[in-house]
Amino acid sequence: MDFSGQVAVVTGAANGIGRATTLAFAARGAKVVAVDRDGAGAEKLAQEIREKGGTALAVAADVTKSADVARYVKAAVDAYGQIDCFFNNAGIEGKVMPIAEYDEAVFDAVIGVNLRGVFLGLRHVLPVMIAKGRGAIVNTASVAGITGTPGLAPYVASKHGVIGLTKSVSGEVARQGIRVNAVCPGPVDTRMIHSIEAMINPGDAEAVSARYQSSIPMGRYATVDEIASTVLFLCSEFASGITGAQYVVDGGRTATGGAATTVGSPRN
């Protein structure tokens, strides 16, 4: 997959999936715009890319604020003239607790980043792509956008919303040369899943991790590079006929209902 001459914008770029995807775009020739609320982290990533001979710009932005989103879009266009690929990725997990006890401010924050942030990204990036008559967008949803998870209802609701936006918007812009898809990771070996493990059992997060990973047929969490590879595929010409889709990357967990083994397959 060659992205030479293309411009890729990634939100939530400073860590985890966003960082891995930004590096992957840069390694394949794209000029990248690393967007993150952590401006110092975004700049550190951009500098790392530049030191390797790549082209990168860092923009500090809060994806829940329309003015900030408009600013990172303008920065990309001012610097590079276009946006070809947009990984609409920034997200937070919130808290693990029953909805009857859920803090309203935390609920608003989860919906604000995970759903409003995706909406604003679409709202401001799409006009740039429409003007050029081309573009590929990948929104970060989750397997939580397909199934329910007790204790994480606001996160689940936000990711269901991301899939709804993806499906609806893909139909709006398909004939304008723009593809819009969603990636749906299962648990990924990042800060987020380890935060959730610790909230479930502060005294023994490792036991939670072992239980979660045993429920995955592949026996492990996904890696950030596996998610990045899926995002790049969806932005590439290899996926030129794909739009409005949700690509699950979860080691088979949702396909098997969380079963760790299959009949006749010994468990390692």
Side-chain angles (χ1 to χ4, degrees):
M1 291 182 284
D2 184 3
F3 291 91
S4 298
Q6 297 190 43
V7 178
V9 176
V10 178
T11 66
N15 297 286
I17 294 169
R19 172 182 165 80
T21 305
T22 305
L23 289 169
F25 271 124
R28 288 160 181 81
K31 300 172 183 176
V32 298
V33 180
V35 179
D36 204 283
R37 184 169 54 185
D38 175 9
E43 180 55 43
K44 182 178 179 181
L45 173 60
Q47 182 60 32
E48 179 181 339
I49 291 168
R50 291 192 290 265
E51 288 173 355
K52 295 177 181 177
T55 303
L57 171 70
V59 181
D62 181 341
V63 300
T64 70
K65 297 179 179 178
S66 186
D68 279 23
V69 176
R71 182 165 51 79
Y72 76 65
V73 171
K74 184 177 186 298
V77 174
D78 287 350
Y80 305 129
Q82 63 198 49
I83 299 173
D84 300 285
C85 306
F86 177 40
F87 185 32
N88 206 2
N89 167 68
I92 59 174
E93 68 273 23
K95 299 293 184 181
V96 177
M97 63 179 62
I99 200 69
E101 303 170 10
Y102 211 91
D103 183 271
E104 292 180 28
V106 178
F107 177 91
D108 290 343
V110 171
I111 298 298
V113 175
N114 294 1
L115 187 55
R116 176 178 168 83
V118 169
F119 156 69
L120 289 174
L122 294 167
R123 173 65 183 83
H124 289 284
V125 168
L126 277 171
V128 175
M129 291 185 169
I130 290 169
K132 293 286 185 179
R134 67 177 187 275
I137 296 172
V138 178
N139 300 318
T140 297
S142 169
V143 293
I146 299 170
T147 63
T149 303
L152 281 171
Y155 181 81
V156 169
S158 72
K159 295 304 185 177
H160 273 70
V162 169
I163 290 179
L165 281 174
T166 301
K167 290 179 177 179
S168 298
V169 174
S170 66
E172 294 177 3
V173 298
R175 295 197 180 188
Q176 294 165 287
I178 302 161
R179 297 182 298 103
V180 185
N181 293 292
V183 63
C184 297
V188 181
D189 189 12
T190 63
R191 179 210 60 80
M192 183 180 287
I193 189 61
H194 299 309
S195 169
I196 291 170
E197 292 165 356
M199 283 189 278
I200 291 172
N201 187 349
D204 194 356
E206 290 185 4
V208 178
S209 178
R211 186 172 78 249
Y212 272 23
Q213 294 191 64
S214 72
S215 73
I216 299 170
M218 290 182 69
R220 62 172 177 82
Y221 291 151
T223 69
V224 291
D225 291 329
E226 288 170 332
I227 309 305
S229 294
T230 304
V231 174
L232 265 65
F233 162 71
L234 289 171
C235 287
S236 77
E237 287 304 307
F238 290 111
S240 60
I242 300 172
T243 195
Q246 301 83 52
Y247 269 64
V248 174
V249 188
D250 71 345
R253 190 173 185 219
T254 54
T256 59
T261 60
T262 56
V263 174
S265 299
R267 185 172 175 179
N268 292 328

